[in-house]
Amino acid sequence: MDTFVTVEHARRAVLDAARPMPEETVALRSAVGRTLAAPVVARGAQPPFDTSAMDGFAVRRADLGDGTGELPVAATIHAGEVPSPLPPGTAVAIMTGAPVPAGADAVVPVERATRTGDTVRFHGLPEAAAHIRHAGEWLSNGAQVLSAGSLVTPGVLGLLASVGAATVEVRRKPRVAVIATGDELVDATGTPGPGQIRDSNGPGLAAQVEAAGGDVSGPHWGRDTAEDLARVLDATAEADVLVFAGGVSMGERDLVREALDARGAEWAFWKVRQRPGKPLAFGTLDGRPVVGLPGNPVSAAVCFEVYVRPLLLAGLGRPTDRVTEPATLDAPIATPAGLHTFARVAVRRDPDGRLCASPAGAQGSHVALSLAFSDGLAHLPADWDDAPAGAVVAFERWAWW
Ligand code: AMP
Ligand code: MG
């Protein structure tokens, strides 16, 4: 088995292990952020009836002569009312959103008319169908509005409401167990003793799971013993995906792989030609994807975005293509030979509107500053030499919001 693989190989192997999440039905108001499991069709046409697009007067154009005469105002139609047919030789006052009465073939806006008591004088002849939104103009009854795999944004939610989707079929959120390993870890609320550090991977990765549409189990802690890792594996048996952080490299106490081997895990790879994140293990346990992220917080977060986010999106039926845009480097970036570099960069627009990128501080995989102050990743392929200022790189924005 090839265990030291390229980034592209690793991404394919991860996506191959994705399993579609089952469907569930949720109420409309809970659907934001979820992914549609089935296409949505319109219940009813949109607009549902011929609608006035303006406050004005509904008229029959044939009654207007050259368009500058007067007509009696027979009635007023407000939004939500059901109008009678337009009596011949009259106009009716009509409000935006009100149904256009049968017989009317144009709406003259109030700005193009002068009302005096019960009569109205027009300033010109309206075009046929002026300011009338016809029934079914932008959606016919039963037409497909959204396809499976669509993310329910606030904008999509409004559309779902307008087409009568009171409940929505979505993919269940993948349950992702986040397991930070290490005898040195204390909770972020605690005070580290000698030799200890605060756990940043647990909270950080949990937030990344949620931002990617998953449901977090944990964060759990695993101590660097076979027994404790076995305990955590028992505690996370319900998870769809297991994400370990730390304990996957070459140290004496890097026991995650052994603990998983003891349960029969099958590995696709455990090293990737990349920086940060060379020690990255991926496999399956009882058919469930298992990821062993490196312990250094920058490596863990970057590898989550590069591999785990697409894995979760694939399970939800969402697109997984990497979206990049060209950016010109403001400063050089060093690249290790033969490794794909994920540089954390901040971007700006130059006066010509060109996107420019510069390293977001020190690039060490333990320096969490670069995560906090970057806008995304610059990809420097494995066969590149050091990239000088002025080089154009593929920039991938963090997809956190
Ligand atoms: P490991 O892969 O377990 O050898 O960890 C690599 C480095 O990452 C070590 O310096 C660890 O102390 C650090 N590290 C591991 N887990 C965490 C964590 N949850 N939060 C912060 N740093 C961590
Ligand atoms: Mg460790």
Side-chain angles (χ1 to χ4, degrees), residues 180-182 184-185 197-202 221 224 245-249 254 293-297:
T181 72
E184 72 275 38
L185 303 180
I197 58 168
R198 293 189 190 90
D199 165 30
S200 62
N201 287 336
W221 275 356
D224 292 325
V248 292
S249 52
D254 289 331
L293 299 173
N296 273 309

mmCIF file of all heavy atoms in Angstrom, residues 180-182 184-185 197-202 221 224 245-249 254 293-297, ligand 1:
data_model
loop_
_atom_site.group_PDB
_atom_site.id
_atom_site.type_symbol
_atom_site.label_atom_id
_atom_site.label_comp_id
_atom_site.label_asym_id
_atom_site.label_seq_id
_atom_site.Cartn_x
_atom_site.Cartn_y
_atom_site.Cartn_z
ATOM 1 N N ALA A 180 -9.316 15.193 20.757
ATOM 2 C CA ALA A 180 -7.980 15.772 20.927
ATOM 3 C C ALA A 180 -7.189 14.829 21.820
ATOM 4 O O ALA A 180 -7.654 14.455 22.897
ATOM 5 C CB ALA A 180 -8.091 17.153 21.562
ATOM 6 N N THR A 181 -6.020 14.426 21.332
ATOM 7 C CA THR A 181 -5.225 13.495 22.141
ATOM 8 C C THR A 181 -3.980 14.190 22.685
ATOM 9 O O THR A 181 -3.444 15.104 22.062
ATOM 10 C CB THR A 181 -4.764 12.264 21.329
ATOM 11 O OG1 THR A 181 -3.752 12.682 20.412
ATOM 12 C CG2 THR A 181 -5.919 11.635 20.575
ATOM 13 N N GLY A 182 -3.547 13.760 23.828
ATOM 14 C CA GLY A 182 -2.299 14.274 24.390
ATOM 15 C C GLY A 182 -2.345 14.360 25.903
ATOM 16 O O GLY A 182 -3.303 14.907 26.464
ATOM 17 N N GLU A 184 -0.530 16.176 27.579
ATOM 18 C CA GLU A 184 -0.163 17.537 27.974
ATOM 19 C C GLU A 184 -1.346 18.502 28.010
ATOM 20 O O GLU A 184 -1.202 19.651 28.394
ATOM 21 C CB GLU A 184 0.916 18.083 27.019
ATOM 22 C CG GLU A 184 0.461 18.429 25.591
ATOM 23 C CD GLU A 184 0.444 17.236 24.623
ATOM 24 O OE1 GLU A 184 0.076 16.130 25.049
ATOM 25 O OE2 GLU A 184 0.759 17.439 23.433
ATOM 26 N N LEU A 185 -2.534 18.045 27.600
ATOM 27 C CA LEU A 185 -3.638 18.983 27.381
ATOM 28 C C LEU A 185 -4.427 19.283 28.645
ATOM 29 O O LEU A 185 -4.715 18.387 29.436
ATOM 30 C CB LEU A 185 -4.603 18.423 26.336
ATOM 31 C CG LEU A 185 -3.991 18.085 24.975
ATOM 32 C CD1 LEU A 185 -5.062 17.533 24.043
ATOM 33 C CD2 LEU A 185 -3.320 19.316 24.369
ATOM 34 N N ILE A 197 -0.274 22.335 28.180
ATOM 35 C CA ILE A 197 -0.773 23.425 27.322
ATOM 36 C C ILE A 197 -2.291 23.330 27.252
ATOM 37 O O ILE A 197 -2.873 22.277 27.546
ATOM 38 C CB ILE A 197 -0.199 23.346 25.885
ATOM 39 C CG1 ILE A 197 -0.544 21.980 25.243
ATOM 40 C CG2 ILE A 197 1.306 23.582 25.877
ATOM 41 C CD1 ILE A 197 -0.274 21.932 23.751
ATOM 42 N N ARG A 198 -2.879 24.433 26.860
ATOM 43 C CA ARG A 198 -4.336 24.415 26.681
ATOM 44 C C ARG A 198 -4.677 23.687 25.387
ATOM 45 O O ARG A 198 -3.974 23.816 24.380
ATOM 46 C CB ARG A 198 -4.902 25.832 26.616
ATOM 47 C CG ARG A 198 -4.775 26.576 27.928
ATOM 48 C CD ARG A 198 -5.538 27.893 27.888
ATOM 49 N NE ARG A 198 -5.195 28.683 29.066
ATOM 50 C CZ ARG A 198 -4.196 29.544 29.117
ATOM 51 N NH1 ARG A 198 -3.465 29.769 28.031
ATOM 52 N NH2 ARG A 198 -3.930 30.199 30.222
ATOM 53 N N ASP A 199 -5.766 22.943 25.422
ATOM 54 C CA ASP A 199 -6.255 22.253 24.217
ATOM 55 C C ASP A 199 -6.885 23.280 23.292
ATOM 56 O O ASP A 199 -7.923 23.863 23.603
ATOM 57 C CB ASP A 199 -7.305 21.213 24.633
ATOM 58 C CG ASP A 199 -8.106 20.713 23.441
ATOM 59 O OD1 ASP A 199 -7.559 20.680 22.323
ATOM 60 O OD2 ASP A 199 -9.288 20.351 23.649
ATOM 61 N N SER A 200 -6.265 23.520 22.144
ATOM 62 C CA SER A 200 -6.914 24.406 21.170
ATOM 63 C C SER A 200 -7.531 23.612 20.029
ATOM 64 O O SER A 200 -8.473 24.079 19.385
ATOM 65 C CB SER A 200 -5.933 25.446 20.627
ATOM 66 O OG SER A 200 -4.877 24.818 19.943
ATOM 67 N N ASN A 201 -7.041 22.409 19.769
ATOM 68 C CA ASN A 201 -7.620 21.631 18.656
ATOM 69 C C ASN A 201 -9.069 21.239 18.931
ATOM 70 O O ASN A 201 -9.897 21.260 18.015
ATOM 71 C CB ASN A 201 -6.808 20.355 18.421
ATOM 72 C CG ASN A 201 -5.473 20.643 17.775
ATOM 73 O OD1 ASN A 201 -5.311 21.668 17.117
ATOM 74 N ND2 ASN A 201 -4.515 19.753 17.962
ATOM 75 N N GLY A 202 -9.347 20.857 20.170
ATOM 76 C CA GLY A 202 -10.713 20.406 20.478
ATOM 77 C C GLY A 202 -11.739 21.475 20.115
ATOM 78 O O GLY A 202 -12.598 21.257 19.249
ATOM 79 N N TRP A 221 -11.455 14.032 24.841
ATOM 80 C CA TRP A 221 -10.018 13.957 25.052
ATOM 81 C C TRP A 221 -9.580 12.514 25.106
ATOM 82 O O TRP A 221 -10.256 11.686 25.719
ATOM 83 C CB TRP A 221 -9.637 14.583 26.396
ATOM 84 C CG TRP A 221 -9.444 16.051 26.326
ATOM 85 C CD1 TRP A 221 -9.497 16.845 25.218
ATOM 86 C CD2 TRP A 221 -9.150 16.895 27.428
ATOM 87 N NE1 TRP A 221 -9.261 18.139 25.562
ATOM 88 C CE2 TRP A 221 -9.041 18.193 26.923
ATOM 89 C CE3 TRP A 221 -8.969 16.676 28.784
ATOM 90 C CZ2 TRP A 221 -8.759 19.285 27.728
ATOM 91 C CZ3 TRP A 221 -8.691 17.756 29.582
ATOM 92 C CH2 TRP A 221 -8.588 19.052 29.066
ATOM 93 N N ASP A 224 -2.673 9.633 26.159
ATOM 94 C CA ASP A 224 -1.745 8.874 25.318
ATOM 95 C C ASP A 224 -1.501 7.469 25.856
ATOM 96 O O ASP A 224 -0.358 7.071 26.108
ATOM 97 C CB ASP A 224 -0.412 9.645 25.195
ATOM 98 C CG ASP A 224 -0.559 10.930 24.407
ATOM 99 O OD1 ASP A 224 -1.368 10.955 23.448
ATOM 100 O OD2 ASP A 224 0.125 11.922 24.731
ATOM 101 N N ALA A 245 -7.032 14.331 16.670
ATOM 102 C CA ALA A 245 -5.960 15.313 16.474
ATOM 103 C C ALA A 245 -4.820 14.940 17.399
ATOM 104 O O ALA A 245 -5.014 14.739 18.598
ATOM 105 C CB ALA A 245 -6.453 16.721 16.786
ATOM 106 N N GLY A 246 -3.628 14.834 16.817
ATOM 107 C CA GLY A 246 -2.444 14.458 17.589
ATOM 108 C C GLY A 246 -2.302 12.950 17.648
ATOM 109 O O GLY A 246 -3.226 12.185 17.326
ATOM 110 N N GLY A 247 -1.075 12.533 18.024
ATOM 111 C CA GLY A 247 -0.855 11.110 18.247
ATOM 112 C C GLY A 247 -0.756 10.272 16.995
ATOM 113 O O GLY A 247 -0.889 9.045 17.067
ATOM 114 N N VAL A 248 -0.508 10.925 15.822
ATOM 115 C CA VAL A 248 -0.434 10.114 14.588
ATOM 116 C C VAL A 248 0.942 10.160 13.942
ATOM 117 O O VAL A 248 1.123 9.670 12.841
ATOM 118 C CB VAL A 248 -1.491 10.541 13.536
ATOM 119 C CG1 VAL A 248 -2.875 10.203 14.020
ATOM 120 C CG2 VAL A 248 -1.355 11.999 13.157
ATOM 121 N N SER A 249 1.940 10.793 14.621
ATOM 122 C CA SER A 249 3.247 10.818 13.949
ATOM 123 C C SER A 249 4.167 9.753 14.533
ATOM 124 O O SER A 249 3.717 8.655 14.883
ATOM 125 C CB SER A 249 3.824 12.239 13.958
ATOM 126 O OG SER A 249 3.828 12.758 15.251
ATOM 127 N N ASP A 254 2.655 8.172 20.220
ATOM 128 C CA ASP A 254 1.692 8.398 19.146
ATOM 129 C C ASP A 254 0.961 7.088 18.886
ATOM 130 O O ASP A 254 1.357 6.269 18.065
ATOM 131 C CB ASP A 254 2.407 8.918 17.888
ATOM 132 C CG ASP A 254 2.888 10.344 18.078
ATOM 133 O OD1 ASP A 254 2.243 11.073 18.862
ATOM 134 O OD2 ASP A 254 3.889 10.727 17.463
ATOM 135 N N LEU A 293 -5.582 13.623 12.370
ATOM 136 C CA LEU A 293 -4.944 14.899 12.024
ATOM 137 C C LEU A 293 -3.673 15.062 12.854
ATOM 138 O O LEU A 293 -3.594 14.568 13.987
ATOM 139 C CB LEU A 293 -5.883 16.074 12.337
ATOM 140 C CG LEU A 293 -7.216 16.120 11.595
ATOM 141 C CD1 LEU A 293 -8.090 17.253 12.147
ATOM 142 C CD2 LEU A 293 -6.981 16.330 10.102
ATOM 143 N N PRO A 294 -2.693 15.820 12.310
ATOM 144 C CA PRO A 294 -1.522 16.129 13.121
ATOM 145 C C PRO A 294 -1.927 16.954 14.339
ATOM 146 O O PRO A 294 -2.977 17.607 14.341
ATOM 147 C CB PRO A 294 -0.646 16.967 12.189
ATOM 148 C CG PRO A 294 -1.249 16.837 10.825
ATOM 149 C CD PRO A 294 -2.674 16.473 10.992
ATOM 150 N N GLY A 295 -1.103 16.937 15.378
ATOM 151 C CA GLY A 295 -1.461 17.637 16.611
ATOM 152 C C GLY A 295 -1.239 19.133 16.556
ATOM 153 O O GLY A 295 -1.953 19.899 17.231
ATOM 154 N N ASN A 296 -0.256 19.566 15.779
ATOM 155 C CA ASN A 296 -0.016 21.008 15.743
ATOM 156 C C ASN A 296 -1.268 21.725 15.240
ATOM 157 O O ASN A 296 -1.843 21.340 14.216
ATOM 158 C CB ASN A 296 1.167 21.323 14.825
ATOM 159 C CG ASN A 296 2.476 21.251 15.586
ATOM 160 O OD1 ASN A 296 2.616 21.853 16.646
ATOM 161 N ND2 ASN A 296 3.431 20.494 15.060
ATOM 162 N N PRO A 297 -1.699 22.752 15.961
ATOM 163 C CA PRO A 297 -3.006 23.339 15.666
ATOM 164 C C PRO A 297 -3.164 23.856 14.236
ATOM 165 O O PRO A 297 -4.238 23.706 13.649
ATOM 166 C CB PRO A 297 -3.108 24.482 16.677
ATOM 167 C CG PRO A 297 -2.278 24.016 17.835
ATOM 168 C CD PRO A 297 -1.130 23.267 17.219
HETATM 169 P P1 AMP B 1 1.481 15.167 18.347
HETATM 170 O O1 AMP B 1 1.056 15.000 16.934
HETATM 171 O O2 AMP B 1 0.565 14.516 19.309
HETATM 172 O O3 AMP B 1 2.897 14.785 18.529
HETATM 173 O O4 AMP B 1 1.402 16.722 18.642
HETATM 174 C C1 AMP B 1 2.207 17.645 17.923
HETATM 175 C C2 AMP B 1 2.250 18.974 18.636
HETATM 176 O O5 AMP B 1 0.934 19.513 18.708
HETATM 177 C C3 AMP B 1 2.745 18.882 20.051
HETATM 178 O O6 AMP B 1 3.534 20.030 20.309
HETATM 179 C C4 AMP B 1 1.480 18.927 20.884
HETATM 180 O O7 AMP B 1 1.684 19.423 22.177
HETATM 181 C C5 AMP B 1 0.608 19.839 20.062
HETATM 182 N N1 AMP B 1 -0.790 19.540 20.290
HETATM 183 C C6 AMP B 1 -1.332 18.309 20.212
HETATM 184 N N2 AMP B 1 -2.653 18.361 20.498
HETATM 185 C C7 AMP B 1 -2.931 19.660 20.763
HETATM 186 C C8 AMP B 1 -4.123 20.344 21.126
HETATM 187 N N3 AMP B 1 -5.267 19.692 21.279
HETATM 188 N N4 AMP B 1 -4.064 21.690 21.313
HETATM 189 C C9 AMP B 1 -2.885 22.323 21.165
HETATM 190 N N5 AMP B 1 -1.741 21.734 20.817
HETATM 191 C C10 AMP B 1 -1.754 20.402 20.620
#
